[in-house]
Amino acid sequence: MTLPYLAVASSPTVLREAERIMLVCNACRYCEGYCAVFPAMERRLTFAPGDLRYLANLCHDCGECLYACQYAPPHEFQVNVPRTLAQLRLESYEHYAWPPALAGAFRRHTVATSLALAAAMTGVLVLVTRAFGSPAAPARPADFYGVLPHGVMTTVFGSVFVFVLVALAIGVRRFRRGVGGTAGLPRVAPARGQTRPTYQALRDALTLRNLHAHGTDCTHREEARSPWRRRFHHCTFYGFLLCFASTSVAAVYHLFLGWEAPYGYASVPVVLGTTGGLGLIVGPAGLYWVGRRRDPAAGDPAQRPADRAFLLLLLVTSLTGLGLLAWRESPAMPALLLVHLGVVLALFVTLPYGKFVHGLYRTAALVQHAAESWAFKPGFVRPIR
Ligand code: SF4
Ligand code: SF4
């Protein structure tokens, strides 16, 4: 089956187009105050593939430079920075993916494939439960480990979690090396009160400061600014973190304190998980709504199926988790548990090969940008390699 996503231009084509556009922008420089991409571009005289992939991951796809550009379509120069950099971001995810054989997965995510994967994972868990646990309702209410023993659950999820961590870490390491890292930068000792590049980049990533640069919200259409993309992104990101914290606290309870699930409604894991779950409903639903209102001329519409698939998996993870919490003492608990765990597994195995990676690559690009801004005085132009 041919997916529309596969129509995205090939790697050399995207790189050539990005280089052409960056050369035009570097001569023009009209947009240098809009975002980090343009100052980073101006530090370069030539654009190797690593430079272009770095610039692509610095872009947060606001569209501002498209609306300002006198060379944008229908001008014959056909300069569309947001779309070109969006296509190059996808190319960079594939280029640095580990293992490389799975890089093609980035172009195969759709809502349908995500739901099919969640169903397949649930099916696998049903078989595992039949082999090692008990698919019937346990004698004790809300006894999750009576359905799927704790050892089996941690083995399955622990293996997937370790694989995901390794795949993501290798991808980011390759990206850092590909963009040159800070190896070619002059070493500058921090002055008193100066923020270190890593802290500055983390602060920028955690606050989404670049989506609210100079006290102004990003555009989503020409002349239309809105804080909602940033707000819904915060709900999604911090909702995810809270759910992760909930699972981590529960693991500490079980492994080190001997306190077994289920935990009370006012306990730390349940409060963290419920709050995070609500964030993972509001955030992805809001981002889907914001995405539908965005100007299709900016960004890469061909990547929308994958973006929506990721949002859907986050949303369904949260809905099934909250459903499990609400009906954990009912006879439906075993089925709800296996469906929820199946969706979580589908979400986890697709993390290194979907939209999730944008946060890591963007943070790595922000670290690089902060290091360059720190090391180079304004007006000092020096190729990184
Ligand atoms: S996007 Fe257009 S206006 Fe902006 S720097 Fe590039 S060529 Fe100039
Ligand atoms: S789309 Fe926005 S973030 Fe991306 S290069 Fe243009 S102005 Fe910068």
Side-chain angles (χ1 to χ4, degrees):
M1 184 175 69
T2 305
L3 299 170
Y5 209 175
L6 295 176
V8 172
S10 67
S11 170
T13 309
V14 174
L15 284 167
R16 266 199 309 275
E17 175 64 359
E19 183 182 20
R20 179 186 77 85
I21 286 183
M22 286 298 104
L23 288 171
V24 174
C25 289
N26 217 3
C28 166
R29 301 193 170 190
Y30 179 78
C31 298
E32 63 184 2
Y34 284 159
C35 69
V37 171
F38 293 94
M41 172 199 75
E42 289 172 14
R43 291 189 195 106
R44 287 156 169 81
L45 301 175
T46 56
F47 298 98
D51 297 317
L52 293 168
R53 292 178 182 124
Y54 157 59
L55 296 174
N57 283 281
L58 263 188
C59 169
H60 57 270
D61 205 11
C62 68
E64 191 93 56
C65 57
L66 178 68
Y67 305 130
C69 185
Q70 59 269 42
Y71 305 119
H75 190 280
E76 61 180 325
F77 285 6
Q78 295 282 314
V79 172
N80 186 333
V81 176
R83 175 164 297 172
T84 306
L85 294 187
Q87 290 176 340
L88 189 53
R89 272 196 298 283
L90 173 61
E91 188 275 348
S92 70
Y93 304 155
E94 293 175 323
H95 183 77
Y96 298 118
W98 184 89
L102 293 180
F106 281 102
R107 293 180 191 263
R108 288 180 171 77
H109 282 309
T110 63
V111 165
T113 57
S114 296
L115 291 177
L117 184 61
M121 291 296 174
T122 304
V124 169
L125 287 174
V126 168
L127 295 178
V128 171
T129 304
R130 285 202 173 144
F132 301 102
S134 165
R140 203 160 59 93
D143 181 12
F144 304 135
Y145 302 136
V147 178
L148 194 59
H150 182 264
V152 178
M153 208 186 284
T154 49
T155 302
V156 171
F157 280 84
S159 317
V160 172
F161 186 64
V162 168
F163 171 78
V164 166
L165 273 188
V166 170
L168 290 173
I170 292 176
V172 172
R173 187 158 176 263
R174 285 180 166 182
F175 174 76
R176 291 278 296 147
R177 287 185 164 183
V179 302
T182 53
L185 298 176
R187 297 219 169 272
V188 182
R192 186 184 288 273
Q194 204 170 20
T195 312
R196 285 186 174 277
T198 309
Y199 298 150
Q200 184 184 323
L202 280 178
R203 188 194 60 198
D204 290 353
L206 293 174
T207 60
L208 296 180
R209 191 179 68 88
N210 292 286
L211 270 65
H212 189 67
H214 317 301
T216 311
D217 288 306
C218 278
T219 48
H220 61 92
R221 283 186 177 277
E222 192 161 6
E223 302 295 331
R225 299 181 183 281
S226 164
W228 288 107
R229 183 179 175 212
R230 181 168 44 90
R231 289 175 183 169
F232 288 132
H233 194 289
H234 277 320
C235 287
T236 306
F237 176 71
Y238 289 105
F240 186 89
L241 274 193
L242 285 173
C243 289
F244 189 73
S246 163
T247 308
S248 305
V249 172
V252 170
Y253 278 10
H254 188 97
L255 295 174
F256 299 107
L257 302 176
W259 300 346
E260 283 197 12
Y263 303 111
Y265 289 109
S267 65
V268 174
V270 172
V271 170
L272 287 175
T274 307
T275 314
L278 292 174
L280 278 184
I281 290 175
V282 173
L287 286 174
Y288 174 77
W289 173 71
V290 167
R292 282 188 65 92
R293 296 171 68 227
R294 290 206 69 198
D295 181 359
D300 182 11
Q303 295 181 38
R304 286 194 182 157
D307 294 352
R308 289 176 180 170
F310 178 56
L311 293 177
L312 180 83
L313 276 181
L314 289 173
L315 188 69
V316 178
T317 296
S318 178
L319 287 173
T320 54
L322 292 176
L324 178 62
L325 178 66
W327 286 290
R328 66 184 183 175
E329 296 184 11
S330 78
M333 185 277 278
L336 287 171
L337 175 68
L338 294 178
V339 169
H340 175 60
L341 294 180
V343 175
V344 173
L345 264 185
L347 174 68
F348 266 70
V349 296
T350 54
L351 285 184
Y353 312 105
K355 182 73 178 177
F356 179 82
V357 300
H358 85 282
L360 301 176
Y361 284 67
R362 175 153 175 78
T363 305
L366 286 170
V367 171
Q368 176 73 12
H369 177 63
E372 289 182 12
S373 307
W374 194 22
F376 291 125
K377 298 277 181 280
F380 184 99
V381 178
R382 176 179 183 272
I384 301 306
R385 282 182 293 280

